Amino acid sequence: MGIQLKDAYGKYFNEMLGLSKAPAKIDTSNVYQEANKDLTKYMEIILSENFLPGSGLGNVENFKAFYDAVTKEGKRGLILMEHYTNLDLPAIIYLLKIQGEEWARDFSERIVAVAGMKLNEASPAVRIWTEGFTRVVIYPTRSLDKVDASNVSEEEKLAEEKKARAINLAAMRAMDDCKKRGQVVLVFPSGTRYRPGHPETKKGLREIDSYLRLFDIVLPIAINGNCLRINPENAEDMLADIVEKDKVLLTAHPIVDCKAYRKSVLDSLPADEPDPKQKTIDGIMDMLQKLHDEVEPGRLA
């Protein structure tokens, strides 16, 4: 078994804290956050030390086709990617950068991840591990659900709901600006990392249907292998995650046309389907799982 992230790489914490600039509190004025390049290098150290030989991108031609559609045809591009660890975002950017071609490096610079407020607000030690990457910060539905379930007054709940709406509206405007600039928005459709034995953490969020309506094309990406595992003894502490060396493959599905895909799913549903939005993201999650299952035997061979 590997060692905890904070034990393996805690030696860099003080350096990273000294370079940190990201806000500790999120409001409507700071939902878009550019990458702090001074911090990116630390993530690259972790990946380079723990990705085993053979790690890389699968179906590179699908990455390239997606990039060309965004940069040459002006398509509004969305990435929907499996989510296992807090290194998933650094991994796609790192693997694109080292792929060796200029288009891939440019692709890596265009990625803007949708991230929950927790990554900024949990603690300075958590914030520095995400600050190295460009993000649009949202107030996640799951976080608001926790507030609703907590023992606070109705007035406090209403105030928090108002705050969530304002932040998420600002985030949608920021994403619209990203699309206009030719940036690519990356979303983890499960909204959380997958926890073995908890299949609900791999279920797609129905809110993803909104993203499918706002973008032209989507690139589903499966992740096989990971070098940062959730610590079963301390699952809520991201810095307690276990570092393991592994062969990591990020494999791209062929481009999906958002409008045509949504239409095909919705047209296939019975008239009395109670939640058609959930069905659209269920289809994407099925694509990801099928791709993941196809890749895994070869990765382990």
Side-chain angles (χ1 to χ4, degrees):
M1 184 175 179
I3 61 176
Q4 295 182 91
L5 178 63
K6 56 190 171 187
D7 296 327
Y9 293 99
K11 59 189 176 183
Y12 295 123
F13 280 17
N14 286 336
E15 291 176 39
M16 295 171 75
L17 287 169
L19 296 168
S20 179
K21 302 172 185 176
K25 289 294 180 182
I26 300 300
D27 58 39
T28 57
S29 69
N30 59 21
V31 294
Y32 179 77
Q33 298 180 22
E34 285 278 358
N36 181 343
K37 297 297 181 65
D38 291 331
L39 292 175
T40 307
K41 66 180 181 181
Y42 294 95
M43 283 296 178
E44 293 178 347
I45 289 171
I46 296 175
L47 298 174
S48 65
E49 290 182 354
N50 293 287
F51 275 15
L52 293 176
S55 296
L57 304 176
N59 295 345
V60 174
E61 68 279 4
N62 292 336
F63 285 94
K64 179 63 162 60
F66 180 81
Y67 172 81
D68 286 344
V70 171
T71 58
K72 297 179 180 179
E73 301 173 29
K75 298 287 187 181
R76 298 171 298 175
L78 172 69
I79 294 173
L80 293 178
M81 191 160 78
E82 288 192 293
H83 196 17
Y84 294 94
T85 82
N86 288 321
L87 291 179
D88 294 339
L89 172 61
I92 185 173
I93 293 173
Y94 172 73
L95 291 174
L96 281 166
K97 285 175 69 173
I98 67 170
Q99 200 270 339
E101 297 185 61
E102 183 54 38
W103 70 266
R105 174 171 285 276
D106 185 53
F107 191 162
S108 75
E109 296 288 337
R110 291 174 182 264
I111 293 175
V112 180
V114 173
M117 293 168 56
K118 178 181 178 180
L119 297 178
N120 271 74
E121 298 188 350
S123 73
V126 170
R127 188 161 59 249
I128 58 178
W129 294 100
T130 58
E131 191 180 335
F133 307 94
T134 302
R135 302 165 322 284
V136 170
V137 182
I138 62 169
Y139 195 125
T141 302
R142 281 194 174 101
S143 297
L144 194 57
D145 289 343
K146 290 180 181 179
V147 173
D148 287 339
S150 64
N151 190 26
V152 300
S153 68
E154 286 302 314
E155 184 177 347
E156 289 172 300
K157 289 180 181 179
L158 289 172
E160 202 65 19
E161 289 172 6
K162 181 179 179 181
K163 174 183 174 181
R165 284 195 300 270
I167 287 174
N168 288 340
L169 180 59
M172 294 305 289
R173 289 172 176 161
M175 278 187 266
D176 192 51
D177 290 338
C178 291
K179 290 183 285 186
K180 291 174 182 175
R181 290 191 293 263
Q183 291 171 293
V184 171
V185 173
L186 184 152
V187 179
F188 296 112
S190 63
T192 188
R193 296 173 294 166
Y194 173 59
R195 290 165 171 76
H198 295 274
E200 70 278 5
T201 60
K202 214 171 191 181
K203 184 178 178 65
L205 299 174
R206 70 189 301 273
E207 293 91 334
I208 301 301
D209 182 72
S210 298
Y211 290 91
L212 293 173
R213 289 191 289 107
L214 294 172
F215 288 81
D216 298 317
I217 55 173
V218 60
L219 186 69
I221 298 177
I223 300 176
N224 292 77
N226 61 77
C227 57
L228 193 62
R229 319 285 170 81
I230 293 175
N231 187 336
E233 297 178 0
N234 196 357
E236 295 305 313
D237 183 357
M238 297 179 186
L239 301 179
D241 286 355
I242 304 301
V243 180
E244 297 272 9
K245 295 184 185 298
D246 203 356
K247 179 180 176 181
V248 178
L249 299 176
L250 272 61
T251 307
H253 186 279
I255 294 172
V256 175
D257 180 280
C258 292
K259 185 176 181 180
Y261 166 74
R262 285 189 76 251
K263 185 177 186 305
S264 68
V265 172
L266 297 175
D267 286 351
S268 71
L269 300 176
D272 59 350
E273 166 58 44
D275 196 352
K277 291 183 178 181
Q278 184 63 50
K279 294 300 182 182
T280 64
I281 184 53
D282 287 348
I284 295 290
M285 300 307 288
D286 288 344
M287 286 182 202
L288 288 170
Q289 188 62 56
K290 182 179 178 182
L291 184 57
H292 181 99
D293 292 345
E294 289 173 352
V295 170
E296 188 66 2
R299 184 184 77 90
L300 298 175

